[in-house]
Amino acid sequence: MITFKTLSSGITILTLSNNYATAEVSLYAAQVLSFKPKNKNDILFVSKKSLYTPGKAIRGGIPVCWPWFGPHATEKDFPVHGFVRTAQWRLAGMEENSKGTMVTLECSSSPETKKFWNHDFTLSLTVSVGKNLELKLTTKNDGSESVSITDAFHTYYRISEIANVSVRGFDGTRYIDRVGERTEKTQEGNIVISGETDRVYLGGEKCVVSDPSAKRTVTVKKDGFPDTIVWNPWIDRSKAMVDFDDDEYRNMICVEAGSALDNKIALAPGASVTQKMTIVPRG
Ligand code: TA6
């Protein structure tokens, strides 16, 4: 079943529910905000101080960073993580079958997007809600010149307590540490967080976020996203964010499927690329 509600700010939220799970997807930003397997707690985190205001990013769920990840390479005033996480998308399709419930949202170039990125494109996101949550992002270059993008599903997971959580799957993987001066390092063992963390892991097809206190693991599989970004703002950065409560860093971790930094995706005129992330909850 798919139902709609509109918030006082004008943002429309779709609720997708079936025998397996319930999920919420905002049409503004095409952002998945909630994924609750039947009779279980939410897998995703949204800040209680999040703004649901057109023009501002929603703090949590799965923001779509596109067509650049992080700050713009040259324009300091351009939005961080691109412009589609603050864009209105349109509903392009809905489907229900025995495996789950799907919606497809689309966003395309306009005079507004061309202020930041002077190219013609169609971006389409299919969200499938079943036992797993699957997101499929297709970028199509509608212009007559080649383009290149970086992007990410900036996924915020809800966790019981940051000190008790680990991320498996990166032992021996190189990463760029983005806290302070950028440095390249190699992961040894599981990732555990004990301070501000902002890393781009260069490789790995799948990882597992393990939260023993919540008796839960979440496996993140990806296809077409070479990188995984792991972020926790810790104490000082949490305090500096207006849309994030001071203590909330304890109950979230971002594990993001991305094609970031130097992993640019080039698209010839008329070409398209599809990238996929699947979240498999257990427990
Ligand atoms: O993905 C990690 C990151 O790029 C961090 O550097 C951090 O700033 C975070 O995203 C959040 O960015 P935002 O623009 O949503 O505040």
Side-chain angles (χ1 to χ4, degrees):
M1 189 168 69
I2 301 174
T3 57
F4 297 72
K5 69 179 174 200
T6 301
L7 308 180
S8 54
S9 59
I11 290 176
T12 298
I13 311 277
L14 316 183
T15 302
L16 288 66
S17 53
N18 52 44
N19 290 336
Y20 305 112
T22 300
E24 288 189 342
V25 184
S26 169
L27 204 48
Y28 168 72
Q31 198 155 327
V32 181
L33 300 175
S34 162
F35 174 57
K36 281 189 199 163
K38 194 109 189 155
N39 301 321
K40 303 282 180 188
N41 293 327
D42 214 320
I43 300 289
L44 300 177
F45 165 94
V46 178
S47 169
K48 55 184 172 229
K49 290 181 80 180
S50 178
L51 309 166
Y52 293 87
T53 309
K56 308 273 185 202
I58 300 172
R59 175 71 64 196
I62 313 183
V64 179
C65 306
W66 188 99
W68 59 86
F69 174 82
H72 189 275
T74 54
E75 303 293 332
K76 297 283 163 282
D77 297 338
F78 281 16
V80 174
H81 293 319
F83 48 80
V84 298
R85 66 174 181 160
T86 51
Q88 287 295 347
W89 291 55
R90 58 183 175 274
L91 183 58
M94 300 194 280
E95 196 189 322
E96 292 197 85
N97 61 35
S98 59
K99 288 196 177 146
T101 311
M102 267 88 44
V103 289
T104 297
L105 312 181
E106 270 184 13
C107 171
S108 40
S109 38
S110 67
E112 192 51 38
T113 66
K114 286 188 177 179
K115 287 183 198 161
F116 300 115
W117 203 61
N118 195 14
H119 301 288
D120 289 309
F121 69 87
T122 308
L123 191 59
S124 135
L125 177 76
T126 299
V127 178
S128 307
V129 178
K131 280 187 192 148
N132 303 333
L133 175 68
E134 186 185 285
L135 271 70
K136 217 165 66 176
L137 184 71
T138 300
T139 300
K140 179 159 184 293
N141 178 4
D142 293 327
S144 52
E145 293 170 358
S146 292
V147 298
S148 81
I149 60 162
T150 53
D151 62 359
F153 287 138
H154 197 300
T155 315
Y156 289 72
Y157 292 99
R158 178 167 290 285
I159 52 170
S160 58
E161 171 62 52
I162 189 72
N164 301 334
V165 164
S166 63
V167 184
R168 293 202 299 268
F170 295 104
D171 190 16
T173 303
R174 285 185 312 128
Y175 67 90
I176 309 294
D177 191 340
R178 299 166 79 218
V179 176
E181 190 104 325
R182 272 191 192 188
T183 43
E184 195 169 326
K185 299 181 178 162
T186 301
Q187 180 65 36
E188 287 175 24
N190 296 339
I191 303 170
V192 282
I193 310 279
S194 57
E196 186 188 346
T197 302
D198 191 353
R199 302 176 183 170
V200 178
Y201 283 86
L202 310 168
E205 272 166 30
K206 115 178 167 180
C207 66
V208 180
V209 182
S210 174
D211 187 352
S213 316
K215 296 190 171 59
R216 180 157 85 189
T217 63
V218 175
T219 301
V220 185
K221 298 181 191 170
K222 57 198 178 64
D223 187 11
F225 287 110
D227 303 316
T228 303
I229 300 96
V230 177
W231 181 60
N232 183 285
W234 210 246
I235 298 167
D236 292 345
R237 280 204 186 271
S238 296
K239 289 186 180 153
M241 287 189 277
V242 289
D243 57 348
F244 193 83
D245 216 1
D246 292 358
D247 275 347
E248 285 187 307
Y249 73 93
R250 297 174 57 180
N251 303 118
M252 57 69 70
I253 184 168
C254 283
V255 179
E256 314 165 27
S259 197
L261 308 183
D262 295 335
N263 271 323
K264 297 187 176 73
I265 299 173
L267 287 173
S272 64
V273 62
T274 297
Q275 300 161 283
K276 211 167 97 173
M277 176 177 78
T278 307
I279 294 173
V280 182
R282 292 268 182 284

